[in-house]
Amino acid sequence: MPAGTQFDFAHVETSPDATSYRAQVGWERRYVRLLVLFDAIACVISAGLAYFVRFGDVVDFDTKPPSSKPYIIMTVLLPLAWVLAMSLNRAYESRFLGGGSEEFRRVVNAAARLTALVAVASYATKAEIARSYVLIAFPAATLLSVAGRSAGRGILHRMRRQGRCLHRVLVVGAGESAATLVRLAQRDPTTGWSVVGVCLDRLPGRHSHDRPERSGFDLLGVPIVGTSENLHTAIQATHATTVAIGPQMDGETLRRVLWALEGSDVDVLVSSALTDVTGPRISIRPVAGLPLLHIEEPELSGTRRLMKMAFDRIVAGTAILLFAPLLIGLGLAVRFTSRGPAIFKQIRVGRGGSEFRMYKFRSMYVDAEQRKAELESSNERAEGLLFKMRDDPRITKVGKFLRKWSLDELPQLFNVVNGSMSLVGPRPPLPSEVARYEDDVYRRLMVKPGLTGLWQISGRSDLEWNESVRLDLRYVENWSLAMDFVILWRTLFAVLRREGAY
């Protein structure tokens, strides 16, 4: 339905056979079959690799098993057991696919449980299965399965950017809450939401901000197709597969909505009034028969923080050793192609507001700061807090290449090693930016700034200031080691795509 057209509410209220509607999501079943294939192939490769290493001449083991028959049987049956374990651990459920770290966590959990089951079964039956076979097959299958899921997610996201493999979403709620859900769906196409209609808690009229003369019976370009009272027939009219409900709907109305949708295969999502708090911080706590959301405080200290610090320094130190020739080569290229030092040092603000010296390869001419005042009128960031230009004349030729591939940020690995930065975190701000922060934005400084982060994999310099802040605060509120692993993995593809790199 094109934006700006009036929907026939009378038709919605009297549409026959409303209870016969069934949501059809054919692409989802095909995607699950693709993941099953990826998992099976990963296990076949891993089992074959383990059998080849154990019985080939690649490694000289002290003892040889009396028979290879148990290994042949296990090599054949392992892919079936692997897929079954993934299914039992709900790693193929649609709600976990396509986004977030929960999918990968379930893959790892399923692999760990299957490994423990095989170990216990082999001990109980006194089966002579070499530990080397298990230690090769199961970790390799886990890594390949995670890689396969990542590849599948990349395929899915690419198709969603093309307008395919989307959930047809009907948004239900008051004007502002409905508009928030529509904006979230329109902001990131990889979420897989195609909002096909909006059901308000009342008809748009003269005394609401959704009145016809202001919006033409649409909300942010999405047609208003009814109210919560005729939700089921609105779903049928828009062929929706998912209903997203705003937080203002009362419990009695929500219960009746759920009753009305029973048997329709329509997914129901209820938005929380608390935004950008997700993952393990949220749990359901029943009180006197009433389910309440329990919100944990963000874990910014303790064991997990120590683990993050150890992981950061080990990975950064290893990367410096591996990339030492590259770092030296890039430093020489910067030094000998333009006047000035190879390393650019700048004061940034870190955790708790403490200042530190951040290192980057110099990508601009040495008089860049003096020339900045001349270019203020060309600032492409309307909010003015950051200065960004796509064709900044202060950038050197080598600097353009470094920024294009994010190589200018490699010296920040030394900041990670000395503890002033983390591998993953909010963008490190300038003191002048912090001086203009509003109260809420200071929460960005509760964790160490990162070499990469949600801002890096979500558009970088193309992001508006408010969106950049929202992503940083979302990381602060929900950070975990699993989230860090996902961000690091996605950073690789963000660098290759070169989106927002200038």
Side-chain angles (χ1 to χ4, degrees), residues 31 34-35 38 97-99 103-104 146-162 164-165 190 489-490 493 497:
Y31 182 65
L34 178 65
L35 295 183
F38 281 168
L97 304 179
E103 178 183 359
F104 301 110
V146 171
R149 295 297 182 106
S150 299
R153 183 174 293 189
I155 294 172
L156 180 62
H157 287 181
R158 184 164 60 251
M159 296 181 72
R160 283 177 171 174
R161 292 189 187 98
Q162 298 170 356
R164 303 162 62 189
C165 297
T190 62
W489 175 256
R490 291 182 61 187
F493 299 98
R497 289 195 303 267

Side-chain angles (χ1 to χ4, degrees), residues 70 79 84 100 102 105 190 193 221 262 318 334 370 383 440 482-483:
L84 179 61
E102 181 65 19
R105 189 182 72 84
T190 62
W193 277 26
E262 285 182 358
T318 303
V334 173
Q370 290 76 15
E383 64 273 16
D440 293 345
M483 177 183 285

Side-chain angles (χ1 to χ4, degrees), residues 421-435:
M421 289 182 64
S422 175
L423 289 175
V424 182
R427 189 188 66 83
L430 292 165
S432 58
E433 296 173 19
V434 175

Side-chain angles (χ1 to χ4, degrees), residues 216-463:
F217 283 100
D218 73 86
L219 187 65
L220 299 176
V222 179
I224 298 173
V225 296
T227 68
S228 56
E229 296 178 355
N230 50 38
L231 176 61
H232 201 297
T233 44
I235 291 173
Q236 184 179 14
T238 56
H239 303 287
T241 60
T242 301
V243 172
I245 300 176
Q248 287 84 0
M249 183 174 289
D250 64 90
E252 181 68 24
T253 303
L254 178 59
R255 184 163 60 247
R256 293 184 180 278
V257 167
L258 295 176
W259 288 345
L261 295 179
E262 285 182 358
S264 64
D265 297 329
V266 174
D267 290 332
V268 179
L269 305 176
V270 181
S271 171
S272 169
L274 188 63
T275 59
D276 287 331
V277 177
T278 60
R281 287 188 58 200
I282 297 180
S283 58
I284 302 295
R285 176 179 293 182
V287 177
L290 181 67
L292 301 177
L293 284 180
H294 177 75
I295 312 296
E296 295 282 355
E297 291 186 12
E299 190 169 344
L300 304 175
S301 60
T303 304
R304 286 175 56 201
R305 180 166 170 259
L306 293 176
M307 292 176 61
K308 179 180 174 68
M309 290 173 57
F311 174 76
D312 285 342
R313 296 188 177 188
I314 291 173
V315 173
T318 303
I320 289 174
L321 293 176
L322 293 176
F323 298 148
L326 175 63
L327 292 170
I328 294 173
L330 293 176
L332 292 174
V334 173
R335 182 68 182 84
F336 293 127
T337 56
S338 61
R339 183 172 59 87
I343 299 297
F344 174 71
K345 303 174 184 178
Q346 190 176 46
I347 298 299
R348 297 291 180 109
V349 180
R351 183 171 180 264
S354 60
E355 295 185 351
F356 69 97
R357 194 178 301 275
M358 189 187 74
Y359 307 114
K360 297 180 69 174
F361 281 124
R362 181 175 55 83
S363 60
M364 291 186 172
Y365 294 104
V366 291
D367 61 346
E369 287 299 318
Q370 290 76 15
R371 297 170 60 186
K372 181 179 178 181
E374 305 172 5
L375 302 171
E376 285 291 346
S377 60
S378 302
N379 187 3
E380 298 178 8
R381 303 299 294 267
E383 64 273 16
L385 203 58
L386 298 177
F387 183 89
K388 291 293 181 181
M389 285 182 63
R390 290 185 180 272
D391 297 314
D392 196 327
R394 302 173 300 163
I395 300 176
T396 65
K397 292 182 179 180
V398 172
K400 289 181 179 180
F401 173 79
L402 294 177
R403 291 192 174 200
K404 180 180 179 180
W405 297 101
S406 301
L407 296 174
D408 60 316
E409 299 175 358
L410 285 180
Q412 292 174 32
L413 290 170
F414 291 97
N415 289 114
V416 177
V417 171
N418 68 28
S420 56
M421 289 182 64
S422 175
L423 289 175
V424 182
R427 189 188 66 83
L430 292 165
S432 58
E433 296 173 19
V434 175
R436 300 165 63 184
Y437 275 1
E438 298 178 359
D439 292 341
D440 293 345
V441 186
Y442 278 103
R443 288 187 65 83
R444 301 174 78 195
L445 306 180
M446 295 179 67
V447 299
K448 292 180 182 179
L451 192 151
T452 184
L454 289 175
W455 51 274
Q456 173 86 317
I457 62 177
S458 303
R460 302 173 64 186
S461 297
D462 289 337
L463 292 175

Side-chain angles (χ1 to χ4, degrees), residues 106-127:
R106 289 186 174 274
V107 169
V108 174
N109 285 348
R113 290 172 181 174
L114 182 59
T115 304
L117 178 62
V118 170
V120 171
S122 61
Y123 176 80
T125 59
K126 297 183 179 180

Side-chain angles (χ1 to χ4, degrees), residues 189-208:
T190 62
T191 56
W193 277 26
S194 173
V195 181
V196 294
V198 174
C199 281
L200 298 175
D201 59 351
R202 61 190 183 281
L203 291 180
R206 185 174 301 277
H207 301 292
S208 75

